[in-house]
Structure formats: C-alpha cells, structure tokens
Amino acid sequence: MSYFDNKVPPKREDRLKAVIAHEDTICNMARKAGGKSCLIDDGERGFTQGSICLLLPALAMLNTLPDNVVLLHSALGCGSCTHSQNANVRVGSNIRQGKAKDGIWLSTALDETDVISGGEPKLEQAIIEADRRYRPSTIAIVAGCVPGIIGDDIDGVALKIQPQVNARLLPVHCEGFKTKIWATAYDAVYHTIGRNLLEERGIHDPAPEDELAVFLEQQRLARTVNLMNVSSMGRVDEQELERLLNSIGLETNVFPVFSHPDSFIKATRAALSISTCPTHDDYFLGYLQERFKVPSIIRHMPIGIDNTSLWLRDVAAVFGAEEQAERLIAAEVAELKEALGEFRPLFEGKKVFVSAGEFRALATSRLLQEIGLEVVGIRSFHHDDFANVEYEKLAGEAKSDYVVDIANVQPFEEANLLKRLKPDLFLGHANGNMTAAKLGIPTHVIYNTGLSYIGYRGVYEVARRLHRQLKNPSYNRNLSQNTRLPYTENWYGAEPFSYLNTSGRAVNE
C-alpha cells in the first residue's frame, strides 16, 4: 500500500530510519557508507537545547504558493514564524511574477475552551470565512500540536466542508510532537499535494486538425523535466540550473515553491523529475514515479564544481545528451577555475565549520574543499542513508579526519566544538550563526534566497563572498570582545558530547 493512501505521512524515523543524535567522524561515516548502508542507531541527549518545529519549513513552502491561504489550526503563537518568512514571500513573488505579494495566513487561535470542547466547529467556520473573504484557489489547513493532542480530524472537516467552498482544501499534518525530524514537514506538504491536487490529464483521441499540435506538445513534453526547487533556493539559483539544462536542450518545469496550485498538474506529464535536494524531494518524487510513471534522479545536490557536474551528467544520460553535457562542463569548469585563482591564496590554510540541514551541510562542505578551504567540522541537523555518497566524497578529499555532529541544533555542543576547533570561518543558517559570531568567528549564511549558491555560478559567488569576509573579520572580533555566551569555562573544558547517549556512550548525570 502506498504511503499516500493514508491520511497522515509516516515520520522519517520510521520511513528512512533517520536520526538526530549521533557523534562520529567523516572517515568513519564514509566507511559505513562504503558498506552500502550508513544506518546508525539514534541516540538521546541527557540535556537538549533548542530544536526546529515542523511548522517552520512547512509554512516556508506553503506561504510561497500563489492564490493560497494558509489556515493554521493551532494556538495563535504557532504562526509567529510567518512574519519573518514574509519578506522572502514578497521578494520571491516579485521576482517570479512581477508583483510583490504577502503570504496570507489565518489562525483558528485555539484556546483552553477549544482544548476541552474540541476545535472542529471553529475550523469549519474559519474555512468558510477564508474562502468567502479571499476567494483563493487553495486553502492549506495546517494542524499544529493542539489538534493532534485533542483529536481534531482536519481531514474529516475538509471532506465535510469541501462542497461548501470553491477553494481546494489541503489538510497538512504538522503536529510537531509526533517526530523529532523537522524534514518530515516536507513530506507533510507533498503528501497533501499528491492526495488533493494531482490528477492525470492527457490528450486522448484528438480531432484530425489537432494532431499536429498534439504531436508538437508530446515532443516538447519528451524534453521537459521537473526541476524541484526548495524554499531556501532563490530565483537566481533556479535560473542557473535552468541555464544549464537549457544548454543541453531541455525545458524546465520549476516546482513547487512559488508555483501556482493550478499548474501542479504539469509535474505529472514531464519526462523526468530532477532533485536538487534529496532531503527535500525524495517523498514526492517517489510518488510521481509510483502514480504517474515519471522517473526521477535523486542523488546529488548541485552545489560545488564536482556535484554540479555529476548532477548534470546524470540528467544528460537520460536524454542521450552526454556529448553536449561534457562540452558544457569542460567550458564551465575551465572558466570557473581560472576565476577562482584570485581567492585561493587567502583561503590556503583557513579552517571552516559548517552547520545546516543534512544535504546542504555536506554539499557545501564539498564546495569549500574545492575552493581551497579545510573543513574541520560538520553539524548536520539529521542523518539518513541519502547522505552516504556525500560522506565518501568528503572523506576522500579531507586533509585529516574531523568531527561530524548529528544534532537538531543543540548550540551548547556547537559552542564547545568551536572553542576547541577554532575555525577561521563558520557557515550556518541565518538565525544559527550567533554562537560563532559571539566567539569572534567570521560567519556567512549557508543559504539566502537573494544570493547565489547553486551551480557553477554559485561556486564563484560563494568564494567571492567568503574572500571578502575573511579579509575583514573585524566585526566578529569586536563582537566577541563585547558579548559573552551563557556557558561556563567548565563546560568549554568538558567533553563536547558528554550529554549524548549513543554507541555505548553514557549520559552525563
């Protein structure tokens, strides 16, 4: 039975055996990957500090959909993250559609009375009001923790109210307490898209006068690929990948971020789906292949020189465009390596620590190796088998073995590691660079939707920005002299993973 036959998608702990609590080294992880499986036992922390709720990445996707209303069925505060996300929604919609638009979100604002008596009547009223007020194409009904605890059936409410509204109702299960793997949010969004928006459409028995048009459309679709985008990818990165794919004769259907719900059907008719981030894409690409026979490639993230080349070669092989791809790769790499020459003298001997979601952290670490920096540590927010190939690449180019911390944030571990490793540079999420910055380490965001990171252009742009950062680290140096972190010297002197119980390690009492 397909996962999509169920109302709720499985959590990644069950589906992918993903883990969030593990300490290892890059070489050891690569050895495990060489055994064809890097499955590891998940651990527990005797002390935990900070995490990420499913709602944040789910809303980052849903708020970008044009002509969509997000209806949070939850306590009011659960929608607070949408305020910070709205800048990206406005900029992204302006770049792609020529008009800056705010994401529209509402909340049922569940309170103590609703917890006792149930929130379904309030949800029904909110759906009808959202449809009447905004006339959207879709309404995403996003369940937070409270409905999951009290047993509200958002799918049942959607089924009941659907005949009364024009918008297509999309129930999204983001009950944060059900999983520790925040990337399950991607599955939750794709689950409702697959169940409620996709249907198979084609042209059957065309009239004689339409046969040429049908033939030409079929020829076009035979060279059309689904290019999966993510909410952390800006338009400049999409354009870079479109440029590369167009250069080998392919058309692209960029999907799903900032794609209108009515256009999602295009995804079912493409010749191939191409992942840009396996962490983000695997659940949905599996469904497209299972339900609509659209094959997919889900191996490399096109960040860095080698990964972009491998990504492009995989796509070209499907369409018999290997020669075109090799000519393109040779020209791009030659030009890029010449351009990087000015940065390498400053990068020589410089050490860097990387922190991000699994694939973003690993692929970016490979890019940093390629431009001459030495990676001395990686903190990945979770781990699953998709990362195997990346561990092998990194270990093969590592100057020495280094630490891999699988942690859903945990800044106290990060602070300890940074004190020990003393990197010259730190790359992490925009809201996760504070620890390094206050320690005086120059920082750079590992993604920003206004900047370039992906493809060959991304390599140069990342190198250019890091070169500028390393040339003038005075801001972080001054910050460290005037601020302090809330950790004692005893903690900095302790073993950084003393609170982690995994691989036989005892938890600090």
Side-chain angles (χ1 to χ4, degrees):
M1 184 174 71
S2 170
Y3 291 130
F4 284 79
D5 292 331
N6 301 318
K7 289 182 179 180
V8 183
K11 57 184 181 179
R12 290 202 173 191
E13 292 96 322
D14 296 333
R15 185 172 69 86
L16 296 177
K17 308 303 179 188
V19 303
I20 59 163
H22 188 78
E23 171 256 330
D24 221 314
T25 68
I26 193 66
C27 292
N28 198 36
M29 295 294 279
R31 281 193 292 270
K32 294 175 183 177
K36 304 304 179 186
S37 176
C38 202
L39 286 177
I40 54 180
D41 293 331
D42 202 2
E44 292 286 346
R45 287 180 169 85
F47 170 73
T48 185
Q49 181 193 32
S51 185
I52 300 175
C53 175
L54 272 71
L55 280 173
L56 193 152
L59 294 175
M61 291 178 66
L62 293 168
N63 281 319
T64 68
L65 303 184
D67 205 14
N68 175 63
V69 169
V70 172
L71 176 55
L72 279 167
H73 188 44
S74 63
L76 183 60
C78 291
S80 59
C81 64
T82 58
H83 295 296
S84 62
Q85 293 171 353
N86 196 53
N88 180 50
V89 174
R90 289 182 60 83
V91 172
S93 59
N94 186 50
I95 291 172
R96 293 168 175 86
Q97 289 122 30
K99 184 177 181 181
K101 297 182 67 176
D102 293 302
I104 300 174
W105 71 277
L106 311 172
S107 175
T108 53
L110 296 176
D111 55 24
E112 291 88 344
T113 301
D114 300 317
V115 170
I116 296 170
S117 59
E120 291 182 11
K122 182 180 279 190
L123 177 59
E124 292 176 11
Q125 295 171 9
I127 293 170
I128 293 171
E129 176 63 18
D131 185 68
R132 183 198 66 80
R133 183 181 300 183
Y134 298 104
R135 298 299 178 189
S137 293
T138 54
I139 298 175
I141 306 166
V142 184
C145 290
V146 175
I149 293 171
I150 66 178
D152 278 1
D153 181 6
I154 63 169
D155 297 272
V157 171
L159 189 64
K160 175 183 176 182
I161 299 299
Q162 183 65 79
Q164 303 177 41
V165 296
N166 293 315
R168 186 75 67 91
L169 302 181
L170 311 177
V172 185
H173 290 271
C174 282
E175 300 91 345
F177 65 89
K178 290 185 176 180
T179 175
K180 296 178 181 179
I181 309 296
W182 59 266
T184 301
Y186 300 139
D187 303 347
V189 173
Y190 280 132
H191 192 80
T192 196
I193 290 174
R195 282 173 58 88
N196 298 288
L197 282 183
L198 298 189
E199 54 185 282
E200 196 164 15
R201 295 178 186 171
I203 303 174
H204 303 288
D205 300 323
E209 62 271 19
D210 295 332
E211 288 182 356
L212 177 58
V214 171
F215 173 76
L216 292 175
E217 175 67 3
Q218 291 172 338
Q219 291 293 103
R220 187 185 68 81
L221 290 173
R223 305 287 294 181
T224 297
V225 296
N226 291 323
L227 178 61
M228 308 300 292
N229 62 357
V230 297
S231 53
S232 62
M233 180 189 297
R235 180 59 186 151
V236 64
D237 281 337
E238 294 172 2
Q239 290 172 329
E240 168 69 355
L241 296 182
E242 287 175 329
R243 178 184 72 85
L244 296 175
L245 294 172
N246 292 162
S247 297
I248 60 173
L250 301 178
E251 293 189 26
T252 57
N253 172 40
V254 181
F255 177 90
V257 178
F258 290 102
S259 296
H260 194 281
D262 288 346
S263 70
F264 286 0
I265 192 60
K266 295 178 183 178
T268 68
R269 302 179 63 194
L272 179 71
S273 295
I274 311 169
S275 169
T276 54
C277 176
T279 294
H280 182 276
D281 302 332
D282 86 287
Y283 189 76
F284 188 67
L285 295 192
Y287 177 68
L288 284 178
Q289 188 154 349
E290 168 196 312
R291 175 68 177 83
F292 300 101
K293 311 304 179 190
V294 179
S296 60
I297 296 175
I298 181 166
R299 283 210 301 170
H300 308 288
M301 191 172 190
I303 290 179
I305 303 172
D306 287 347
N307 273 332
T308 299
S309 299
L310 289 168
W311 184 87
L312 194 57
R313 287 186 178 108
D314 282 350
V315 177
V318 175
F319 296 94
E322 292 93 335
E323 291 186 12
Q324 290 172 270
E326 290 303 328
R327 287 195 297 270
L328 175 64
I329 291 169
E332 294 282 338
V333 172
E335 182 180 3
L336 178 57
K337 288 187 174 180
E338 182 179 355
L340 291 173
E342 65 175 303
F343 306 131
R344 291 188 181 277
L346 181 60
F347 291 163
E348 186 67 30
K350 294 294 192 297
K351 300 181 293 183
V352 60
F353 191 101
V354 182
S355 171
E358 180 183 48
F359 245 83
R360 175 74 70 162
L362 299 178
T364 301
S365 295
R366 183 71 189 100
L367 182 160
L368 298 174
Q369 286 180 332
E370 291 173 327
I371 63 176
L373 294 161
E374 180 185 357
V375 179
V376 295
I378 296 174
R379 182 181 65 178
S380 178
F381 289 167
H382 83 279
H383 166 76
D384 57 48
D385 262 359
F386 282 112
N388 285 359
V389 65
E390 298 303 317
Y391 288 119
E392 294 182 279
K393 294 174 191 172
L394 288 168
E397 298 296 327
K399 294 181 179 179
S400 60
D401 206 0
Y402 56 83
V403 66
V404 175
D405 182 18
I406 310 297
N408 56 336
V409 189
Q410 308 307 336
F412 74 101
E413 286 181 358
E414 175 194 295
N416 187 306
L417 287 169
L418 293 177
K419 270 279 195 177
R420 291 166 178 268
L421 297 172
K422 295 180 170 43
D424 301 289
L425 188 63
F426 178 94
L427 271 73
H429 284 202
N431 58 358
N433 284 353
M434 294 82 73
T435 298
K438 290 180 178 180
L439 288 172
I441 302 168
T443 63
H444 186 62
V445 289
I446 203 162
Y447 71 79
N448 180 317
T449 55
L451 302 176
S452 176
Y453 293 85
I454 285 178
Y456 299 115
R457 177 179 177 178
V459 176
Y460 177 80
E461 292 296 332
V462 168
R464 183 178 63 85
R465 296 194 300 267
L466 296 184
H467 187 266
R468 184 174 59 192
Q469 187 79 5
L470 287 170
K471 282 184 69 176
N472 184 12
S474 58
Y475 171 78
N476 301 88
R477 185 166 54 245
N478 292 337
L479 188 65
S480 69
Q481 294 169 357
N482 293 279
T483 60
R484 65 180 299 274
L485 292 168
Y487 309 112
T488 66
E489 289 303 317
N490 286 339
W491 169 243
Y492 289 129
E495 205 277 337
F497 301 108
S498 57
Y499 286 95
L500 182 59
N501 180 15
T502 184
S503 301
R505 181 189 296 278
V507 177
N508 190 332
E509 295 298 336

